[in-house]
Amino acid sequence: VRFDYAGISLMIAGCNISPIYYSFYCEPLQGWRTFYIWGISIMSGLVFFSSLWSEFDKPKYRVLRGTLFVLLGVLAVVPFTHNIYFM
């Protein structure tokens, strides 16, 4: 189960980094692109390593597990919302 969670976090990161890179490609300073790529990378790494932690499988961490994945999903949506409304 731990590897499933870890794989999902890597999949979310992998599916978001290249679209973020190319959707902010024409921005003059490209600061937002760097910010969002670092953000998704750090959050995915956090979820990845916490998923491999053996304590993470226990029922008492169910809320934390769900919260981390929801935050990762929201963080993946923010750059595209930014791109749609401000570009």
Side-chain angles (χ1 to χ4, degrees):
V1 174
R2 289 185 280 167
F3 290 113
D4 289 337
Y5 291 137
I8 290 168
S9 69
L10 289 178
M11 183 190 68
I12 291 172
C15 290
N16 285 298
I17 289 177
S18 60
I20 290 170
Y21 179 82
Y22 288 111
S23 65
F24 287 94
Y25 188 75
C26 294
E27 184 182 333
L29 298 177
Q30 298 169 350
W32 284 109
R33 177 177 70 180
T34 305
F35 175 74
Y36 287 133
I37 288 175
W38 273 103
I40 198 81
S41 299
I42 290 170
M43 186 66 184
S44 293
L46 231 152
V47 172
F48 178 80
F49 288 115
S50 65
S51 296
L52 293 178
W53 182 40
S54 61
E55 289 287 315
F56 196 66
D57 280 342
K58 295 185 178 176
K60 70 179 183 177
Y61 291 108
R62 184 177 302 159
V63 174
L64 175 63
R65 200 170 42 234
T67 304
L68 283 174
F69 279 100
V70 167
L71 286 174
L72 184 59
V74 167
L75 187 60
V77 172
V78 169
F80 302 109
T81 307
H82 174 210
N83 202 2
I84 289 169
Y85 287 111
F86 297 112
M87 298 296 206

